Amino acid sequence: MVPIHTAVGYALSQWEHMESGLARLFQLLCESPAPVAARAYGMLESSYSKSQLLRAAVDAFFNERKETDSDLHRELKALFNAYQKAQEFRNNIAHGMVIQFGLPDRTYSGYFLCPPVYATKKVVKPKSSGIWFLDASYWYKADDVMYCGQYFVSMLAETMRLIQAVNQKYNVLRNTEFRL
């Protein structure tokens, strides 16, 4: 197996771990010890819809409080912004394909993740080379994909930190009440 294949699996698994953390955060914002909120979050297929749901939940959560911790509110919004921006990288990884390519002089060769030829928005009309993937909007190496996976891990860590901070500040759920 080529390292880029492993990197793709790693990054996509880390994304799903991070999504699980966001489902727990949604459960907390809904103040529900039942897994209903997290399961409802999981019914949404689009990451954009999930980020909008989280934004609405955090606004409703803080609107119900007499004392609002503006720092926590701001940090949650920053997490949701990072989540929205990371979606493009996740989608590129999930919908990309690995190709092997090398120039005759070996200055640029190896395995790369790029969009497939039919991804109209990700591949512009081939230029003089006539080689479709040379005009792809992204070419990720294994290290690039691993970097994305590690970024998803850091987003999960921030999600879990914020869950603890919100729960500690507002005493919403006991730790044993977090279930998926």
Side-chain angles (χ1 to χ4, degrees):
M1 175 146 318
V2 179
I4 196 162
H5 293 108
T6 302
V8 167
Y10 171 77
L12 293 176
S13 291
Q14 297 314 314
W15 178 266
E16 293 305 324
H17 285 296
M18 189 262 307
E19 285 277 11
S20 294
L22 290 173
R24 286 178 178 244
L25 176 59
F26 183 67
Q27 178 187 358
L28 175 70
L29 294 171
C30 291
E31 303 180 58
S32 173
V36 174
R39 297 297 299 269
Y41 173 89
M43 286 300 299
L44 297 174
E45 292 183 16
S46 143
S47 297
Y48 177 78
S49 296
K50 289 176 183 176
S51 67
Q52 295 306 319
L53 182 74
L54 287 164
R55 287 177 193 283
V58 78
D59 287 342
F61 180 87
F62 283 106
N63 286 340
E64 292 294 315
R65 303 289 180 275
K66 289 180 182 174
E67 292 182 33
T68 299
D69 186 323
S70 58
D71 288 340
L72 276 177
H73 195 210
R74 188 172 44 258
E75 289 174 32
L76 285 162
K77 294 281 187 157
L79 174 67
F80 303 153
N81 288 338
Y83 173 61
Q84 250 184 293
K85 290 176 184 172
Q87 293 167 25
E88 180 181 356
F89 295 101
R90 179 264 174 209
N91 289 341
N92 287 348
I93 294 167
H95 302 292
M97 58 187 246
V98 175
I99 63 166
Q100 183 179 15
F101 178 73
L103 293 175
D105 63 3
R106 296 184 183 256
T107 56
Y108 195 68
S109 64
Y111 289 89
F112 302 92
L113 186 73
C114 67
V117 67
Y118 61 82
T120 306
K121 294 179 182 176
K122 299 286 182 174
V123 179
V124 297
K125 183 179 176 187
K127 297 177 182 133
S128 59
S129 70
I131 302 173
W132 66 267
F133 54 81
L134 291 180
D135 299 313
S137 61
Y138 65 90
W139 282 60
Y140 297 158
K141 297 179 289 184
D143 288 347
D144 300 324
V145 177
M146 287 298 287
Y147 179 84
C148 289
Q150 291 163 353
Y151 183 71
F152 303 155
V153 168
S154 69
M155 288 179 63
L156 171 60
E158 179 64 1
T159 300
M160 300 311 288
R161 184 190 72 77
L162 288 169
I163 287 171
Q164 291 297 328
V166 169
N167 202 34
Q168 195 169 41
K169 172 93 178 171
Y170 297 104
N171 197 25
V172 179
L173 299 175
R174 294 187 312 263
N175 284 337
T176 57
E177 293 179 323
F178 281 106
R179 298 183 313 229
L180 293 179

